[in-house]
Amino acid sequence: PAPGTIPAAHLNTDAVCAECHGDIADRHARSVHRLSSFNNPAYRFSIEDTRKVLAARDGNPYAARLCAGCHDPVPLFSGRFDDPDYDADGDPGSRAGITCMTCHAIAEIGVRGNADYRLADPPRYPFDSSENALLRAVNRQLIKAKPELHRTSLLKPLHHSAEFCSTCHKVHLPEALNHYRWLRGQNHYDSFLLSGVSGHRVDSFYYPPRAKQSCAECHMPVRTSDDPAARVVAGNAGHVVHDHMFAAANTAVPAMLKRGDENQERVDFLARAARVDLFGVKEQGTIDGELHAPLRPDVPALQPGRRYLLEAVVRTTGVGHALTQGTADSNELWLDLTVRDGERVVGRSGGIGDDGDVDPWSYFLNAYLLDREGNRIDHRNVQDVAVALYDHQIPPGAATVVHYAFEVPENARGPLTIEAALRYRKFDTRFLRHVEGEGFAHNDLPVTTLASDRIELPIGDAVDAAPGTVAIADWERWNDYGIGLLREAGDSGKQGELRQAAVAFEQVERLGRPDGPLNLA
C-alpha cells in the first residue's frame, strides 16, 4: 500500500468478523452505519455532487475528505477516494459503509469532530489473510485459544465513551470546504454534553432520573445473545451484547433500498422523543390576549365569529440531544394541526400535497440554511452553506411554543375539534427531487408520528364537547409553556415573550415547585 494508507481488505472485514460474531454482524447489517457510503442513494447523490463542484472549483475533490472520514472510510484510507476519476461502481469498498474494523481499529480520538480519530491497522494473528480454508480455521482457533490480543486491540476504553461517537457526530464546515469561514454543522455531542441528560444541564430545564454517561446507553442497549462477545451484565438475565443496529431516526434509507421492514425498531425509538400539548387559547388572537390555560379539565366556550390564538407546546422527552439534529436542513419535522367543526375543516397547517410535499407554511422544527445568494440549501450542498435563516431545533429537556391563529366560523355548530401531531420524515421533497432526478414522481418516504394531542372545545352555550384529559401535571405544563416562551428570545433574534414566560413560571411557583422561581430567575 501507498504510505499513509491501509489496504481496503484490512478494513472491509465484515464477512470475516461474522464467522464468529454472527449475531452482532446481523444487527450491524441492518444499521444505517452499514449504509453510510455509496451504498446509500441519498448520500451518494450528495457526495458525487460535492466532488464534482470541488473538482471544478479547486481542481481536485480533496475537501470532500470532510465527508469521507465518517461516511467512506474504506475508500478514503485505502487512498482511492482522492482519485478525481474514482469509480464507485468498480470499487467494492464504496459499498462497505462503516465496517466493524472502521470503529474497532480506532486507536485515538479527539472531540473536534470531523473524523477526529486515528485509525491503526491492528496486529494480526497468523494466517489472518490466508486464502486456504484450513489455515483460516487455524486462525480462528488461535483467536479462541488466545483471545486477549483480539479483545484488547479491538475493544478499548475509548469505545465506551461519548467522545468516541463525537468523532463523527460533531461536524464543522472549514474554510477549505466553503471558501467562506468556519461554520458549525450538526453536533450531537455538545448538545448531549451540555444537557441535563448527561447531568450538566446548561441547555436543558430537566434532569432525567439518572444521567447518561454515553450515547450507547440509548443507541446501543443490551440484548440477549449467545455471541462469543456476550457477557453477564447486572440487571439482565443471561448473557448480553450491545445492539449494533444503532436504532435512531433514519427511516428513509432502508425504505429507498426496499428494506422498510427493518424500520419498526426505529419507529418505536422515535416514539420516545417528544410530546405535544394543546395548552391554551388566547382571546382576540393576539399574544397579549386573555389566556385560558391549562386546557383540560376546564375549557372555555368559544364564540362564533371570534378570533383566537392556540398555544401548542412541543417538549423533548426521550432524546439526549437537540431534536432533530443530524442533517437538520433536509430532515422534515413539523406540526400538523387541523381544526374541525364537526366534519368541516376550519383550518389546516401541516398537510401533505399531491406530490408528497409538506405545506411550506407549516411550522418546521428543523434548520433553514441559505447560501451567499440567499438561496435555500436544498440538496445537501454543504460547500455552499453560509447562514441559517432559522434554527428551530429543541434542546433535550426543553420546549418550544407554536402559536396558531384561527377564527371560529359564524355558523359553527360545534364542538370545535383541534388535533395536533408532530410528524417526521427523514428527507424532504426538495432534496428527494434532486436525488431521484427525472424519475421523481412522489415523496413516499415513511412519515412517522412522534406525538399527538386532541381536544374538543364547545361553541357558544353548547355543552356537548368532551375535552378529554391530560396525563401531565399542571405545574409541568405551565413550566413547559414558560420554557418555550423564554426560548423565543433566542430564536432568530426575536424579542420573545419574556413577560408571558414570567407569568407562567409564577404559576409553577404557586403550584409548589422550585422550578418556578429557578426559571424565573
Side-chain angles (χ1 to χ4, degrees):
T5 64
I6 299 176
H10 288 193
L11 295 176
N12 196 4
T13 63
D14 287 6
V16 175
C17 298
E19 291 176 4
C20 291
H21 299 289
D23 187 22
I24 292 175
D26 177 67
R27 296 294 291 176
H28 172 251
R30 301 166 184 261
S31 73
V32 181
H33 278 179
R34 177 66 179 79
L35 303 171
S36 70
S37 190
F38 289 80
N39 54 354
N40 175 329
Y43 173 75
R44 178 166 185 167
F45 164 81
S46 296
I47 190 62
E48 289 182 341
D49 178 70
T50 294
R51 283 171 59 88
K52 181 179 178 181
V53 171
L54 295 178
R57 189 193 70 184
D58 303 340
N60 60 67
Y62 296 164
R65 291 170 176 171
L66 164 75
C67 310
C70 293
H71 283 271
D72 313 297
V74 176
L76 177 66
F77 290 106
S78 65
R80 297 173 181 174
F81 186 85
D82 285 345
D83 183 352
D85 298 319
Y86 175 63
D87 176 20
D89 293 322
D91 178 14
S94 73
R95 298 181 291 278
I98 299 171
T99 65
C100 306
M101 201 58 70
T102 302
C103 285
H104 286 280
I106 288 178
E108 294 180 10
I109 59 173
V111 293
R112 295 173 298 179
N114 285 21
D116 187 13
Y117 60 80
R118 183 176 66 84
L119 196 66
D121 202 354
R124 300 182 177 279
Y125 284 77
F127 317 121
D128 176 83
S129 302
S130 175
E131 296 182 3
N132 183 288
L134 176 60
L135 294 180
R136 286 202 306 271
V138 172
N139 174 266
R140 289 196 297 272
Q141 193 60 37
L142 288 172
I143 294 175
K144 293 176 182 178
K146 293 284 187 178
E148 192 61 24
L149 175 64
H150 187 67
R151 180 167 51 244
T152 57
S153 61
L154 297 180
L155 187 62
K156 309 173 185 70
L158 59 84
H159 287 106
H160 300 283
S161 68
E163 289 73 21
F164 176 75
C165 301
S166 81
T167 60
C168 282
H169 291 279
K170 178 177 179 177
V171 175
H172 62 266
L173 309 181
E175 186 177 349
L177 177 70
N178 60 24
H179 281 201
Y180 173 43
R181 65 182 178 88
W182 188 98
L183 295 172
R184 170 62 68 204
Q186 62 169 290
N187 189 354
H188 294 81
Y189 172 69
D190 287 348
S191 178
F192 162 76
L193 190 68
L194 301 178
S195 75
V197 178
S198 67
H200 295 114
R201 198 190 172 190
V202 172
D203 203 22
S204 302
F205 292 81
Y206 294 97
Y207 283 107
R210 183 182 65 83
K212 304 290 186 183
Q213 300 302 310
S214 71
C215 313
E217 291 193 48
C218 288
H219 293 283
M220 296 183 72
V222 295
R223 59 191 302 272
T224 302
S225 175
D226 59 0
D227 192 277
R231 64 191 188 281
V232 175
V233 174
N236 296 275
H239 289 71
V240 298
V241 296
H242 285 285
D243 191 355
H244 282 62
M245 183 181 174
F246 308 99
N250 193 333
T251 56
V253 172
M256 295 169 83
L257 296 173
K258 310 303 181 186
R259 294 168 54 172
D261 57 328
E262 300 175 0
N263 270 333
Q264 188 56 51
E265 290 180 68
R266 297 180 179 92
V267 172
D268 295 342
F269 191 83
L270 285 165
R272 310 184 327 216
R275 69 185 184 208
V276 177
D277 180 17
L278 297 175
F279 177 74
V281 292
K282 288 183 175 181
E283 301 281 355
Q284 290 88 47
T286 60
I287 63 170
D288 56 353
E290 179 185 357
L291 173 65
H292 300 280
L295 299 177
R296 293 160 292 183
D298 299 325
V299 294
L302 307 184
Q303 301 303 314
R306 291 191 182 177
R307 186 174 175 83
Y308 296 89
L309 195 68
L310 176 70
E311 304 286 83
V313 179
V314 181
R315 153 88 183 274
T316 51
T317 53
V319 60
H321 47 72
L323 188 72
T324 131
Q325 258 307 334
T327 55
D329 55 314
S330 59
N331 290 349
E332 269 190 325
L333 184 66
W334 76 99
L335 267 180
D336 183 357
L337 187 126
T338 306
V339 181
R340 289 187 176 89
D341 174 30
E343 297 299 317
R344 176 177 57 159
V345 175
V346 173
R348 178 77 185 273
S349 173
I352 296 179
D354 293 339
D355 61 354
D357 197 12
V358 178
D359 173 9
W361 291 100
S362 307
Y363 185 87
F364 292 93
L365 290 91
N366 59 1
Y368 195 116
L369 305 183
L370 303 175
D371 65 16
R372 276 172 278 191
E373 304 300 324
N375 302 305
R376 183 172 187 174
I377 300 296
D378 62 358
H379 58 283
R380 303 291 305 133
N381 44 318
V382 293
Q383 68 277 359
D384 299 323
V385 175
V387 69
L389 177 65
Y390 68 69
D391 183 353
H392 287 169
Q393 297 181 89
I394 310 176
T400 198
V401 177
V402 188
H403 314 279
Y404 290 95
F406 69 96
E407 188 172 300
V408 180
E410 291 280 4
N411 60 352
R413 303 178 62 181
L416 207 68
T417 302
I418 303 176
E419 296 176 308
L422 181 63
R423 306 202 193 279
Y424 166 82
R425 182 166 59 186
K426 174 58 184 172
F427 296 132
D428 64 29
T429 304
R430 294 177 184 83
F431 178 53
L432 194 63
R433 279 197 184 98
H434 287 287
V435 174
E436 297 188 355
E438 294 181 357
F440 174 82
H442 185 272
N443 188 346
D444 56 1
L445 295 178
V447 175
T448 303
T449 299
L450 274 62
S452 62
D453 196 13
R454 182 181 185 276
I455 191 171
E456 289 186 3
L457 301 174
I459 301 294
D461 297 327
V463 293
D464 56 348
T469 59
V470 177
I472 312 168
D474 281 354
W475 77 263
E476 195 169 347
R477 297 180 71 193
W478 276 111
N479 201 43
D480 292 347
Y481 182 57
I483 291 166
L485 297 175
L486 175 63
R487 289 187 59 250
E488 281 190 3
D491 182 9
S492 303
K494 293 181 182 178
Q495 291 297 312
E497 297 183 47
L498 298 182
R499 293 181 181 180
Q500 290 88 340
V503 170
F505 294 139
E506 287 168 359
Q507 292 287 343
V508 177
E509 185 173 10
R510 290 191 186 98
L511 292 169
R513 291 289 305 194
D515 308 63
L518 176 64
N519 293 338
L520 185 61

